[in-house]
Amino acid sequence: MQPSLEKLRKFFRLEHENKYTNTAIIGGLAKMLDYWEGEARADGITEEVIQAVVSRLRSYEKISPDGRAESLKGLWKRIGDTYPEAGQKPKPPQQQPQQQPRPQQQQRQQTPPPSQEAEGQPSTPRPASQQQQSQPQQQKPRQNPPPRSESVVGAKHSQTPAALSAALTVLQGVGPRNAESLEKLGMQTLGDMLYYFPRRYEDYSQLKPIQSLMYNDVVTVLGTVQSVHTRPIRGGKSSVIEVIIGDGTGALRISYFNQPWLSNRFKEGDAISVSGKIDQYLGRLVMNSPDWEPVEVENLHTNRIVPIYSLTERITQKWLRNQMNSVITYWAPAVVDALPETIKRAAQLVSLGEALTQVHFPDSQARLKLAHERLGFDEIFYLQMGVMRQKRDWKSVDGRRFPISDEWLVARLGALPFTLTSAQQTSLDDIRKDLDSGKPMNRLVQGDVGSGKTVVAALGANIVVSGDAQAAIMAPTSILAEQHYRNFINLLAGDGGTMQQSEIRLLVGNTTESEKEAIRQGLQDGSIKIVIGTHAVIEPDVLFKDLQFVVIDEQHRFGVEQRAELRSKGTNPHLLVMTATPIPRSLALTVFGDLDISVIDVMPEGRQPVTTYVLRPQERERAYSLMRAQIKNGNQAFIVYPLIDESEKIDARAAVDDFETLSKQVFPDLRLGLLHGRMKPAEKDDVMLKFRDKEFDILVSTTVIEVGVDVPNSTVMMIEGADRFGLAQLHQLRGRVGRGSVQSTCLLIPTREDATENERLQAMAVTNSGFELADLDLKLRGPGEFLGTRQAGYASTLKMASITDVKLIEKAREQAQALFERDPELSQPEHALLAEAFERFWGAGKGDVS
């Protein structure tokens, strides 16, 4: 049978084992079309069969599991009619020998199940769900979907004890109601409990007495409630609850503002734990709005590190901790470790059983640290193996070669109205090599706003067009698409250019129907070489004669399906994705490890850094004065808000409400425009175009202008509620000004006076480096800012690993690369369990790769 059909059968069989959950391929079955079509044509598969496969898999995600089963069976029958050898039934997967698990089974049978052990009761016959473990291992079907809360380190395999799939009601004291509550926390089985990690710990062996507290300490204090008082403030509009706690060495006052219901929660004589920062008020040490929890008195005397779990209604910390203890003590040592011994030794890791035990009930801070490292290592390791495999799959197919001569390139560069920076030249060299490599390009170009990514993309498109093929550029907004269109025309069809203006076309939502039809016709017959547009480019009726180069701008704004849709319009086309959000090194090593990365970190000559100031809210008039002066000189300004309308829940100014005041009272003599996310796309485009064409002096907006239009005439960016934005956002917004030759200014105004010292805002004032800010933002806010459509997959995967821990990431990456070079398919016998766990994890559809 042809290799492409064999591969198709393999994935269909895996999909059947997974009960048609669309998980046989990362991102869904349709993802395999990215490379399968090219392989099938190379194998000589008929176009009729190829199109049948493409058609069925494109719509596969949208149908029910029953419909999917019928669809795949019908498709395989059709393939079998054309290729009889495909109709033969494949041999069943090789089964695990029955005798392998026996020693572990015998060991587990000597120990009572958790419900009896925990309660000290005599051993009784096990529940049916636990008796399964004495049956042969291969009777446990591999296709059971993993529990919803399962972490990457909890990826199952054929030697996972069967009892870990038992419902929680097998535990003493867990009836249907408690099981329902635990399900809200993501726990449905005993296995889930192993991977329901504490959110923090109380180290009762390292307590600090109240008399030893110092101003600015961030501590946990244990004490007994001595008094509770509620008093009105701000003329009775608000209230404050003051609680005095003591521990025998002194007393500490804790305050809670506008939370009157708490007065009934604190009772005199109760032991509580409070965690927060020590402040000072009228010379006395206080804590304002600390986290607090009731403490079981017995824990005060255990001198140990106590886990604190996230809770839900009807579940108490003490009850859950007891249940956890019974399950962890019995089952953590019985968990089979899929990670090979060679890797554990090389990376100096503890066993999985040890890590699970210590992460829940650590004997010391040192052993807790080792447990975190092991569990975090596993997460990064699986992540690395996945992106490496995807990169290999992408590189395993052939791509069209587009060689160019040095003379041709020198002529093109000489025709540009400026000289490329060293970073642009390096990125262009990378793209040139990719296009002549014989493999499809899969490259990410990252660079600050205004660093010149568009020029590099245009020259890449020019190389492909010179080879008589086509290019498509997709941008997230019509404004940005139009901006790219103008730049491409100037760069490629201007003086010294090699293209005609008619060969480059713009296709957006408001393009007229007659023009759309002409563009569709031109793309199909090949007379149009480059199309630039929004989602309109991926409409089903947009077909290309020979699409070989795909550029996606601000790639995090598009879903993986949209990227795949555009790529599918060619045969293994070269892919270039661009982002103005600088990606920290640790993310580049992990989440974006499937992409080759080029960095443009040098700004073009003549671009001046934007001067940034942090103003107190009462200094707002200074900002207005600067704007007036700049507008008087013929320039324009932005005022950006975090909200569209005022909110009772969020203390921040809003665009719509302030627009009225700004128009009528602050700037009655100037022309103001309003832009926000609830406006229709056509309305947004209209406002932005008017601002670009100088019909407005000031644009009042929400963050919809974060990515988009280039208005060189705008020189002031004022950001209200700046403390409510992440650094990546603030940096993107600041990049909207300073695009001309005039010195530009960014003014950051936080919501409150005390937010002026906000670490993010101060960082904005001292550096214009997007990469420095990206690293800081990652530490302060986590990876969500950078991941975009990858966020759901990767961010939720990492329960133990910190994406900022570059040392751990490099250790896991080094081990994953070494293993991948030795055994990329994990087919060697010693990697059998690891292969199953890996497939189980990635089969859950986590992450997406461009």
Side-chain angles (χ1 to χ4, degrees):
M1 193 193 311
Q2 289 92 329
S4 55
L5 292 183
E6 185 60 56
K7 187 173 286 188
L8 198 63
R9 178 162 72 178
K10 172 185 160 190
F11 287 125
F12 283 11
R13 190 172 65 199
L14 183 57
E15 182 66 8
H16 168 71
E17 289 176 358
N18 288 353
K19 295 187 176 175
Y20 302 98
T21 53
N22 199 20
T23 56
I25 295 277
I26 303 160
L29 266 187
K31 282 285 288 180
M32 71 178 294
L33 296 176
D34 296 344
Y35 55 85
W36 184 84
E37 280 186 80
E39 290 181 2
R41 289 192 177 98
D43 286 346
I45 303 299
T46 66
E47 195 61 32
E48 184 182 355
V49 167
I50 291 174
Q51 290 309 316
V53 172
V54 170
S55 168
R56 294 283 179 97
L57 296 193
R58 282 265 173 264
S59 60
Y60 187 76
E61 183 184 6
K62 296 169 185 166
I63 55 182
S64 67
D66 288 343
R68 290 170 181 172
E70 289 302 315
S71 179
L72 292 192
K73 287 171 187 170
L75 178 56
W76 195 251
K77 183 178 181 303
R78 181 171 178 182
I79 291 171
D81 291 343
T82 310
Y83 299 95
E85 66 273 22
Q88 298 168 10
K89 290 200 171 185
K91 294 176 184 177
Q94 191 172 356
Q95 296 177 330
Q96 290 283 339
Q98 293 187 22
Q99 65 270 27
Q100 280 186 358
R102 279 181 187 164
Q104 289 164 337
Q105 290 170 356
Q106 290 166 3
Q107 174 192 346
R108 288 196 292 276
Q109 288 166 355
Q110 292 164 5
T111 315
S115 55
Q116 281 101 22
E117 181 188 57
E119 301 301 320
Q121 295 177 0
S123 180
T124 57
R126 297 169 184 247
S129 53
Q130 291 192 18
Q131 289 172 1
Q132 292 171 16
Q133 64 183 328
S134 61
Q135 297 171 4
Q137 287 289 335
Q138 74 269 23
Q139 290 183 20
K140 296 195 298 284
R142 249 193 81 194
Q143 67 266 28
N144 285 346
R148 287 181 298 108
S149 65
E150 184 171 75
S151 162
V152 56
V153 293
K156 288 185 176 181
H157 46 70
S158 58
Q159 289 193 23
T160 297
L164 288 180
S165 296
L168 298 181
T169 48
V170 303
L171 293 171
Q172 182 83 11
V174 180
R177 286 190 72 201
N178 282 338
E180 188 181 318
S181 296
L182 290 171
E183 187 175 348
K184 291 178 183 175
L185 296 173
M187 289 180 278
Q188 294 175 295
T189 66
L190 298 182
D192 294 347
M193 294 184 78
L194 293 178
Y195 297 97
Y196 187 71
F197 300 128
R199 62 183 173 89
R200 62 184 181 86
Y201 304 85
E202 293 288 14
D203 190 350
Y204 293 140
S205 63
Q206 302 288 328
L207 290 176
K208 198 166 186 180
I210 290 176
Q211 70 173 10
S212 303
L213 297 177
M214 304 284 287
Y215 175 66
N216 264 347
D217 277 354
V218 178
V219 291
T220 295
V221 177
L222 289 177
T224 304
V225 176
Q226 296 180 346
S227 65
V228 183
H229 294 292
T230 303
R231 61 183 177 85
I233 56 174
R234 296 177 185 167
K237 292 182 179 177
S238 304
S239 65
V240 61
I241 295 171
E242 293 176 341
V243 182
I244 306 296
I245 63 170
D247 66 353
T249 71
L252 177 70
R253 184 174 72 186
I254 58 177
S255 302
Y256 293 91
F257 297 90
N258 289 329
Q259 299 179 59
W261 59 89
L262 287 179
S263 60
N264 297 321
R265 302 280 299 277
F266 295 108
K267 307 291 184 190
E268 287 187 25
D270 282 357
I272 66 170
S273 153
V274 294
S275 304
K277 185 178 178 182
I278 301 294
D279 283 321
Q280 212 164 10
Y281 179 70
L282 299 177
R284 298 183 62 183
L285 297 182
V286 298
M287 262 191 188
N288 291 318
S289 301
D291 290 332
W292 75 280
E293 285 179 321
V295 173
E296 306 88 55
V297 176
E298 61 265 31
N299 283 333
L300 298 177
H301 310 291
T302 56
N303 288 332
R304 67 162 301 148
I305 303 169
V306 177
I308 305 296
Y309 297 95
S310 295
L311 302 174
T312 187
E313 59 184 340
R314 300 201 299 266
I315 300 293
T316 67
Q317 198 65 246
K318 182 179 180 180
W319 181 88
L320 180 57
R321 198 179 289 133
N322 283 336
Q323 296 295 344
M324 282 289 187
N325 188 48
S326 68
V327 174
I328 302 303
T329 304
Y330 179 68
W331 282 112
V335 170
V336 181
D337 197 339
L339 202 64
E341 286 297 327
T342 51
I343 292 177
K344 281 185 281 192
R345 281 197 301 272
Q348 299 179 310
L349 301 170
V350 299
S351 70
L352 181 57
E354 161 83 357
L356 289 171
T357 301
Q358 292 296 321
V359 82
H360 285 280
F361 297 99
D363 293 330
S364 66
Q365 290 288 354
R367 293 185 77 176
L368 175 59
K369 184 179 177 186
L370 290 173
H372 270 274
E373 183 176 358
R374 166 61 206 266
L375 298 171
F377 176 94
D378 283 17
E379 292 177 341
I380 300 295
F381 181 81
Y382 278 79
L383 202 54
Q384 285 295 313
M385 289 292 291
V387 294
M388 283 177 199
R389 184 172 289 187
Q390 289 179 317
K391 188 169 188 175
R392 182 205 60 186
D393 289 347
W394 179 249
K395 296 289 185 187
S396 68
V397 297
D398 292 331
R400 175 97 65 84
R401 300 181 73 148
F402 291 95
I404 52 162
S405 65
D406 291 342
E407 294 76 19
W408 184 91
L409 187 59
V410 167
R412 297 289 71 72
L413 296 177
L416 296 176
F418 47 78
T419 304
L420 294 188
T421 65
S422 58
Q424 284 175 310
Q425 186 64 59
T426 303
S427 296
L428 180 59
D429 291 343
D430 292 338
I431 290 170
R432 181 184 178 187
K433 283 177 194 162
D434 288 348
L435 290 174
D436 193 22
S437 70
K439 297 293 179 185
M441 177 199 298
N442 201 29
R443 183 168 294 279
L444 169 69
V445 173
Q446 56 168 327
D448 264 344
V449 174
S451 60
K453 299 183 294 296
T454 307
V455 184
V456 172
L459 289 167
N462 202 181
I463 292 171
V464 169
V465 168
S466 72
D468 202 28
Q470 293 169 298
I473 291 82
M474 188 160 71
T477 66
S478 298
I479 294 291
L480 194 52
E482 187 185 327
Q483 188 172 295
H484 285 326
Y485 173 68
R486 289 198 309 273
N487 286 333
F488 270 60
I489 292 289
N490 293 336
L491 293 167
L492 306 182
D495 292 340
T498 60
M499 298 185 66
Q500 301 297 318
Q501 188 166 334
S502 61
E503 293 178 312
I504 306 171
R505 299 297 292 272
L506 176 69
L507 180 61
V508 292
N510 59 6
T511 303
T512 63
E513 195 50 50
S514 59
E515 201 174 340
K516 280 181 182 175
E517 183 53 43
I519 293 171
R520 286 193 288 263
Q521 187 59 46
L523 290 172
Q524 224 167 339
D525 64 27
S527 59
I528 295 176
K529 303 297 185 186
I530 297 177
V531 63
I532 301 164
T534 53
H535 298 78
V537 173
I538 57 175
E539 291 295 323
D541 54 356
V542 177
L543 303 172
F544 293 79
K545 181 182 180 185
D546 187 17
L547 178 63
Q548 287 294 325
F549 188 54
V550 170
V551 180
I552 296 175
D553 193 18
E554 292 305 333
Q555 62 90 25
H556 62 288
R557 293 301 179 96
F558 293 100
V560 65
E561 297 83 5
Q562 293 164 324
R563 293 200 290 270
E565 195 72 40
L566 180 54
R567 215 163 44 188
S568 71
K569 291 181 179 290
T571 303
N572 300 333
H574 297 278
L575 175 71
L576 180 69
V577 293
M578 305 194 295
T579 180
T581 303
I583 297 166
R585 182 162 167 262
S586 58
L587 277 181
L589 287 172
T590 50
V591 178
F592 295 94
D594 60 305
L595 296 164
D596 298 313
I597 297 179
S598 298
V599 177
I600 303 182
D601 52 5
V602 178
M603 296 301 278
E605 264 186 63
R607 287 290 299 268
Q608 298 184 49
V610 178
T611 309
T612 305
Y613 299 99
V614 182
L615 302 180
R616 298 198 306 277
Q618 55 266 45
E619 295 180 295
R620 195 172 277 109
E621 191 51 52
R622 286 178 59 196
Y624 295 155
S625 298
L626 174 66
M627 282 186 196
R628 286 192 190 93
Q630 287 289 326
I631 291 166
K632 192 174 179 183
N633 290 335
N635 298 312
Q636 293 164 282
F638 290 98
I639 303 179
V640 176
Y641 290 84
L643 303 176
I644 298 175
D645 299 304
E646 278 189 10
S647 164
E648 290 182 11
K649 296 179 182 176
I650 302 173
D651 179 22
R653 298 171 77 99
V656 171
D657 302 273
D658 272 23
F659 179 72
E660 292 297 314
T661 308
L662 290 167
S663 304
K664 294 174 182 174
Q665 298 175 26
V666 182
F667 301 112
D669 53 331
L670 300 177
R671 300 164 300 168
L672 275 66
L674 176 64
L675 183 67
H676 58 74
R678 282 209 301 264
M679 296 166 70
K680 293 176 182 173
E683 293 173 328
K684 288 186 207 170
D685 289 350
D686 184 53
V687 171
M688 282 303 301
L689 289 170
K690 284 181 177 176
F691 183 61
R692 187 194 71 193
D693 298 338
K694 299 187 181 180
E695 291 182 38
F696 297 131
D697 301 307
I698 298 173
L699 184 62
V700 178
S701 174
T702 56
T703 55
V704 290
I705 54 103
E706 175 189 338
V707 173
V709 76
D710 184 357
V711 184
N713 202 49
S714 55
T715 58
V716 181
M717 167 65 68
M718 172 177 156
I719 303 175
E720 287 278 8
D723 53 309
R724 303 194 65 84
F725 296 96
L727 271 169
Q729 258 190 321
L730 289 171
H731 187 59
Q732 286 269 20
L733 290 167
R734 176 168 64 183
R736 293 299 106 215
V737 298
R739 301 177 78 84
S741 56
V742 179
Q743 175 63 55
S744 296
T745 308
C746 179
L747 305 171
L748 306 174
I749 303 181
T751 37
R752 301 182 315 280
E753 169 82 24
D754 59 357
T756 309
E757 297 303 315
N758 181 293
E759 190 176 353
R760 292 198 304 279
L761 304 190
Q762 295 304 321
M764 287 288 294
V766 297
T767 181
N768 268 272
S769 165
F771 291 94
E772 285 180 36
L773 294 172
D775 276 323
L776 179 59
D777 211 26
L778 185 61
K779 291 182 183 124
L780 293 174
R781 286 164 69 94
E785 284 283 316
F786 306 91
L787 300 187
T789 57
R790 298 184 178 214
Q791 182 177 358
Y794 290 109
S796 63
T797 297
L798 301 180
K799 294 182 178 183
M800 279 288 148
S802 168
I803 204 76
T804 62
D805 189 347
V806 176
K807 190 175 175 185
L808 179 66
I809 286 168
E810 288 183 333
K811 182 195 279 192
R813 180 178 173 80
E814 180 185 337
Q815 294 300 325
Q817 280 180 320
L819 179 63
F820 194 77
E821 285 168 13
R822 292 197 311 272
D823 186 14
E825 294 294 338
L826 300 177
S827 56
Q828 294 173 11
E830 64 268 29
H831 299 147
L833 292 181
L834 182 64
E836 288 182 38
F838 173 80
E839 293 297 343
R840 172 73 64 180
F841 165 61
W842 279 99
K846 289 182 171 64
D848 80 73
V849 174
S850 295

